Amino acid sequence: MKRVKAACIYQTLVFSQKPELGLSAEAALEINKTELERYKKSLERTRTRYLITDVSEEADGSLTVRVRKQYSDRAEVEEYFK
């Protein structure tokens, strides 16, 4: 029998707007920052442990975010959040 002892998800997320909208880079960046905050609140609302390890702003106003988050509330995650 096997079971998960520890688990974590590593993700690279890109928050961006469709180019067809014709937004300036500054306007797109503000929208993307708002979307990132909404994403963080959704993780907190569901009590998902997470750690954002890197956020970078791109020239087109998009945000690239590297996040480490809890896979399951049943698996130990302490070793991933040191």
Side-chain angles (χ1 to χ4, degrees):
M1 173 164 133
K2 73 172 180 174
R3 62 184 154 165
V4 176
K5 181 178 177 184
C8 191
I9 298 172
Y10 293 94
Q11 291 181 324
T12 301
L13 306 171
V14 177
F15 292 87
S16 64
Q17 301 301 308
K18 293 181 181 179
E20 300 86 43
L21 296 176
L23 296 171
S24 68
E26 295 81 22
L29 182 60
E30 287 305 313
I31 292 170
N32 294 327
K33 284 182 179 179
T34 302
E35 185 66 26
L36 175 57
E37 290 304 314
R38 192 175 312 134
Y39 174 71
K40 289 194 285 188
K41 285 180 183 175
S42 73
L43 291 173
E44 291 165 2
R45 188 172 40 254
T46 59
R47 296 184 181 154
T48 301
R49 288 192 60 190
Y50 70 95
L51 177 64
I52 294 179
T53 57
D54 183 48
V55 177
S56 61
E57 298 176 3
E58 308 301 327
D60 64 351
S62 63
L63 289 174
T64 302
V65 179
R66 296 188 192 283
V67 64
R68 191 182 313 166
K69 68 181 187 177
Q70 180 179 1
Y71 175 73
S72 168
D73 61 352
R74 294 185 180 99
E76 181 58 44
V77 295
E78 288 302 318
E79 67 185 80
Y80 299 109
F81 293 98
K82 292 181 182 176

